């Protein structure tokens, strides 16, 4: 495959970037009164306003030429068709099958996977109904009041995001907790207020070998047995979500309490699978299926809409533009919705584990930058922390602002304060403030000319900072499904443009291996000399301090 920078469309974009890089959003809006109409699109109830980006119609045409030259449409079909596009792991990438219409077959290696998907959904429905109704009890016959999900990465972030986002739809009789960190404090503090008789543990791990999850699951098991003192209790208090049936049964979880998924579901794309069980327990299976329906709508839009109005494609190509031609290293996500506060963390894994790559699919180094650093924070908190850097710092930080028309609460006035802040930020970022307005304000405050001249550079708002704004009617299971699938497909399209495999994550392996070796050394308690001088010294110093009485 031709290197990215060797493509005709890339070179055309490079020339266009040179010619237009100084254009200011204020000027672009002045020149075109229809700019919002031209650069906004809607799908599945979600409005994307991308008019506050540093693009013209020509930029977008060139970006879509690039998408076509990189064969995005063909790759999209290969994904939906179940081809093994995860080359290094020889796997299909079919999280879309988990939310596909049950009557339409989706085949992997010649086998229709939809009956298995339907079977697990039915198993999830039976189980969640039983737990939520109180029919499923703990070992001593008490109703389950607390669910603790033990998982990490994709086996934590997706369900945690959705469970938190959908709190207004949740059963208040069942509290969901998430333990991920190997730091025992996480489990200990979570369990402290809970009763083993009324707690259900979900051990969520695709591989069922992940150190953090297996260690924490064992800790939870010990906690339960310490108080219930009967091994049979494990069957009433532990269920597993995994692809690894053997390891699950070895742990002592009954086969009927295992909810299966498959190797064609990537960890960071797994909340739609059995990994979504805590979501279903919290909000009920009907709401979980609404979330799947929202994602399905976005899948259909992504698969069929022309590139010109295709929301994931547009967002992806805007990101390519800033990373490729403006040296933008990061991308901020600002949900103006407290219920979406986990979204930046969730998108960190989705985007950075997928596209944080430096080799192409064929193993050659990529030419240019790939996935950005994803960061952000919910609501107005960021305004009082890091927005200063976005407004007046030296870096270009494209950002997504997300908001809903309806609040989950009746405090409309306060919701409007929230939304005003969101809109004000995108306005300020795009247009900044004219020097003349700053000067007039300072003069009105009685400052003399020298003082005005001295202050002006510090008070200057240059603007021209690009943003997308995403507007939903309200945050509910359906719109959440739409939103998450939008980002999944955006990441997919960018991976195709950069020609990387977005579905493996070899970069997480080395640290895991080294940690196991170091763990043995720490346990032996003997000074070490086999590492570099820094690591040796730190291990030895740690041991010295640890064993000091
Ligand atoms: O961090 C690496 C990773 O493999 C993620 O991709 C995955 O989501 C996470 O670990 C957890 O893996 P598992 O579900 O197998 O425990």
């Amino acid at each position: 495959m031709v290197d990215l920078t060797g493509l005709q469309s890339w070179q055309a974009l490079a020339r266009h970037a040179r010619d237009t890089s100084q254009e200011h959003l204020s000027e672009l809006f002045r020149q075109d009164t229809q700019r919002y109409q031209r650069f906004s699109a809607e799908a599945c109830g979600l409005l994307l306003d991308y008019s506050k980006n540093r693009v013209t119609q020509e930029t977008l045409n060139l970006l879509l030429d690039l998408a076509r030259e990189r064969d995005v449409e063909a790759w999209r079909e290969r994904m939906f068709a179940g081809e093994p596009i995860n080359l290094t792991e020889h796997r299909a990438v079919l999280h879309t099958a988990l939310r596909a219409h049950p009557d339409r077959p989706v085949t992997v290696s010649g086998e229709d996977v939809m009956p298995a998907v339907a079977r697990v959904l039915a198993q999830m429905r039976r189980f969640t109904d039983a737990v939520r109704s109180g029919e499923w009890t703990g070992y001593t016959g008490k109703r389950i009041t607390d669910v603790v999900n033990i998982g990490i990465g994709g086996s934590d972030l997706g369900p945690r995001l959705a469970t938190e986002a959908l709190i207004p739809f949740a059963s208040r009789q069942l509290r969901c907790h998430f333990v991920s960190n190997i730091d025992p404090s996480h489990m200990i503090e979570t369990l402290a207020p809970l009763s083993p008789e009324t707690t259900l543990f979900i051990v969520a791990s695709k591989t069922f070998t992940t150190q953090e999850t297996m260690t924490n699951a064992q800790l939870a098991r010990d906690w339960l047995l310490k108080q219930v003192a009967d091994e049979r209790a494990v069957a009433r208090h532990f269920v597993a979500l995994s692809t690894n049936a053997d390891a699950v049964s070895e742990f002592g979880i009954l086969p009927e309490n295992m909810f299966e998924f498959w190797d064609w579901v990537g960890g960071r794309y797994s909340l739609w699978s059995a990994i979504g069980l805590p979501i279903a327990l919290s909000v009920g299976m009907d709401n979980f299926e609404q979330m799947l329906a929202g994602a399905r709508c976005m899948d259909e839009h992504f698969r069929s809409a022309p590139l010109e109005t295709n929301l994931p494609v547009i967002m992806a190509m805007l990101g390519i533009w800033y990373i490729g031609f403006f040296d933008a290293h990061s991308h901020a996500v600002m949900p103006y919705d407290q219920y979406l506060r986990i979204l930046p963390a969730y998108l960190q894994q989705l985007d950075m584990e997928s596209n944080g790559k430096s080799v192409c699919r064929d193993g050659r180094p990529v030419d240019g930058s790939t996935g950005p650093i994803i960061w952000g924070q919910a609501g107005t908190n960021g305004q009082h922390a890091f927005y200063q850097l976005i407004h007046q710092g030296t870096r270009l930080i494209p950002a997504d602002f997300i908001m809903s028309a309806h609040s989950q609460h009746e405090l409309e006035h306060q919701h409007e304060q929230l939304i005003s802040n969101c809109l004000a930020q995108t306005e300020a970022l795009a247009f900044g403030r004219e020097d003349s307005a700053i000067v007039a304000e300072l003069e009105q405050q009685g400052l003399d000319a020298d003082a005005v001249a001295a202050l002006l550079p510090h008070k200057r708002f240059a603007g021209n900072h690009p943003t997308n704004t995403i507007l939903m009617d309200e945050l509910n299971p359906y719109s959440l499904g739409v939103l998450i699938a939008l980002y999944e497909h955006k990441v997919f399209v960018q991976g195709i443009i950069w020609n990387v495999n977005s579905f493996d994550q070899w970069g997480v392996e080395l640290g895991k291996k080294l940690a196991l070796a170091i763990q043995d050394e720490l346990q032996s308690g003997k000074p070490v000399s086999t590492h570099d001088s820094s690591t040796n010294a730190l291990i030895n110093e740690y041991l010295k301090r640890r064993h000091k009485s």
Side-chain angles (χ1 to χ4, degrees):
M1 189 179 265
V2 181
D3 283 346
L4 183 59
T5 53
L7 295 175
Q8 268 187 9
S9 52
W10 186 271
Q11 287 167 4
L13 273 165
R15 283 192 297 276
H16 175 68
R18 272 194 301 276
D19 295 345
T20 60
S21 66
Q22 295 313 312
E23 280 180 355
H24 198 288
L25 278 166
S26 304
E27 193 47 39
L28 294 175
F29 271 85
R30 252 193 298 274
Q31 283 164 8
D32 181 1
T33 52
Q34 295 298 299
R35 195 173 160 83
Y36 167 77
Q37 283 77 0
R38 209 184 300 286
F39 298 136
S40 58
E42 206 174 328
C44 309
L46 192 147
L47 169 74
L48 169 68
D49 170 19
Y50 59 100
S51 59
K52 293 191 182 89
N53 279 285
R54 291 168 66 168
V55 293
T56 59
Q57 191 58 56
E58 191 187 350
T59 323
L60 285 163
N61 294 343
L62 292 171
L63 285 167
L64 295 182
D65 287 348
L66 171 62
R68 291 197 176 91
E69 202 173 354
R70 250 340 192 202
D71 249 350
V72 164
E73 287 148 303
W75 277 100
R76 182 181 61 186
E77 271 320 293
R78 295 182 68 188
M79 174 175 75
F80 278 101
E83 286 187 33
I85 61 169
N86 176 355
L87 289 177
T88 60
E89 297 178 309
H90 315 289
R91 287 177 184 164
V93 173
L94 267 183
H95 43 283
T96 50
L98 300 166
R99 58 227 190 183
H101 201 283
D103 297 340
R104 288 190 213 133
V106 178
T107 51
V108 177
S109 312
E111 194 192 329
D112 181 11
V113 298
M114 293 312 289
V117 170
R119 178 172 41 74
V120 175
L121 283 172
Q123 185 194 4
M124 288 169 71
R125 181 174 284 279
R126 279 194 303 278
F127 183 71
T128 52
D129 286 353
V131 174
R132 286 164 61 88
S133 67
E135 180 198 328
W136 176 289
T137 60
Y139 184 62
T140 57
K142 289 196 180 156
R143 191 187 178 109
I144 298 297
T145 56
D146 292 90
V147 174
V148 179
N149 188 80
I150 306 174
I152 196 162
S155 302
D156 167 64
L157 286 161
R160 186 146 61 89
L161 161 68
T163 304
E164 171 115 6
L166 301 178
I167 283 176
F169 299 82
S171 155
R172 300 279 166 169
Q173 286 185 305
L174 203 57
R175 289 173 294 271
C176 282
H177 313 265
F178 290 84
V179 174
S180 50
N181 198 340
I182 189 88
D183 185 337
S185 315
H186 200 175
M187 181 65 90
I188 287 167
E189 292 300 339
T190 304
L191 295 184
L194 306 188
S195 157
E197 288 179 280
T198 56
T199 300
L200 175 74
F201 292 99
I202 299 178
V203 187
S205 175
K206 181 175 170 181
T207 53
F208 229 71
T209 56
T210 304
Q211 188 195 42
E212 292 90 334
T213 303
M214 299 330 295
T215 306
N216 279 326
Q218 197 56 52
L219 193 61
R221 198 174 189 276
D222 294 347
W223 177 79
L224 173 77
L225 292 178
K226 201 164 150 203
Q227 308 196 40
V228 182
D230 185 340
E231 287 276 341
R232 284 173 300 177
V234 173
R236 300 299 297 173
H237 290 270
F238 277 81
V239 298
L241 321 176
S242 188
T243 58
N244 187 347
D246 292 343
V248 168
S249 85
E250 220 167 278
F251 184 85
I253 294 176
L254 299 177
E256 60 267 33
N257 293 343
M258 168 172 162
F259 297 79
E260 185 193 9
F261 61 111
W262 307 274
D263 70 358
W264 41 264
V265 181
R268 52 193 172 274
Y269 300 86
S270 64
L271 82 160
W272 321 99
S273 71
I275 289 291
L277 189 69
I279 312 167
L281 280 165
S282 175
V283 298
M285 202 58 195
D286 288 346
N287 278 320
F288 183 73
E289 288 187 344
Q290 273 301 301
M291 200 181 85
L292 300 185
R296 176 161 65 244
C297 180
M298 183 48 73
D299 292 345
E300 283 161 9
H301 166 77
F302 175 52
R303 201 171 180 181
S304 61
L307 299 190
E308 287 71 12
T309 52
N310 196 309
L311 267 52
V313 173
I314 293 168
M315 285 176 65
M317 298 315 293
L318 290 168
I320 297 284
W321 172 237
Y322 296 121
I323 293 165
F325 302 102
F326 291 78
D327 219 12
H329 294 299
S330 81
H331 186 98
V333 180
M334 317 295 200
Y336 274 66
D337 190 323
Q338 184 65 15
Y339 290 119
L340 284 177
R341 81 187 168 91
I342 310 292
L343 186 65
Y346 171 81
L347 292 178
Q348 280 177 337
Q349 188 201 16
L350 176 66
D351 201 320
M352 293 162 81
E353 204 168 49
S354 296
N355 287 341
K357 309 283 163 68
S358 52
V359 291
C360 297
R361 278 194 217 90
D362 59 12
R364 286 177 308 128
V366 295
D367 56 340
S369 300
T370 58
I373 299 158
I374 302 291
W375 61 289
Q377 199 176 108
T380 59
N381 290 355
Q383 291 174 209
H384 298 271
F386 51 75
Y387 276 46
Q388 163 66 37
L389 182 143
I390 308 181
H391 282 289
Q392 288 190 319
T394 52
R395 294 161 214 280
L396 182 84
I397 302 176
D400 296 345
F401 284 71
I402 302 168
M403 60 183 190
S404 304
H406 296 282
S407 159
Q408 300 295 353
H409 306 287
E410 274 169 13
L411 297 166
E412 285 305 326
H413 175 63
Q414 196 160 337
H415 182 66
E416 271 154 21
Q417 285 180 307
L418 172 75
I419 300 305
S420 328
N421 273 282
C422 178
L423 294 169
Q425 287 302 325
T426 60
E427 190 177 22
L429 285 165
F431 307 113
R433 198 166 183 215
E434 302 279 349
D435 278 8
S436 55
I438 302 171
V439 170
E441 188 180 272
L442 293 175
E443 284 173 352
Q444 214 173 25
Q445 289 165 12
L447 271 70
D448 65 25
D450 286 349
V452 169
L455 255 186
L456 183 60
H458 301 279
K459 292 209 133 203
R460 183 168 282 138
F461 276 90
N464 220 13
H465 299 288
T467 59
N468 291 316
T469 303
I470 293 173
L471 173 64
M472 311 180 258
D473 281 356
E474 69 161 6
L475 180 61
N476 58 33
Y478 187 89
S479 61
L480 180 69
V482 174
L483 183 71
I484 299 173
L486 166 69
Y487 277 101
E488 285 180 345
H489 296 319
K490 172 200 161 178
V491 168
F492 170 81
V493 172
Q494 292 190 330
I496 298 301
I497 301 294
W498 289 316
N499 188 24
V500 298
N501 180 5
S502 302
F503 301 102
D504 60 12
Q505 57 284 317
W506 299 106
V508 304
E509 295 302 325
L510 177 61
K512 290 186 195 173
K513 269 206 187 80
L514 295 181
L516 286 179
I518 293 175
Q519 191 184 328
D520 288 345
E521 290 167 344
L522 296 183
Q523 266 158 17
S524 92
K526 297 196 189 98
V528 297
S529 58
T530 49
H531 301 265
D532 60 278
S533 63
S534 160
T535 310
N536 282 338
L538 288 168
I539 292 174
N540 294 336
E541 192 61 27
Y542 169 83
L543 289 171
K544 199 166 88 194
R545 290 172 187 233
R546 179 148 165 66
H547 297 299
K548 208 157 60 184
S549 51

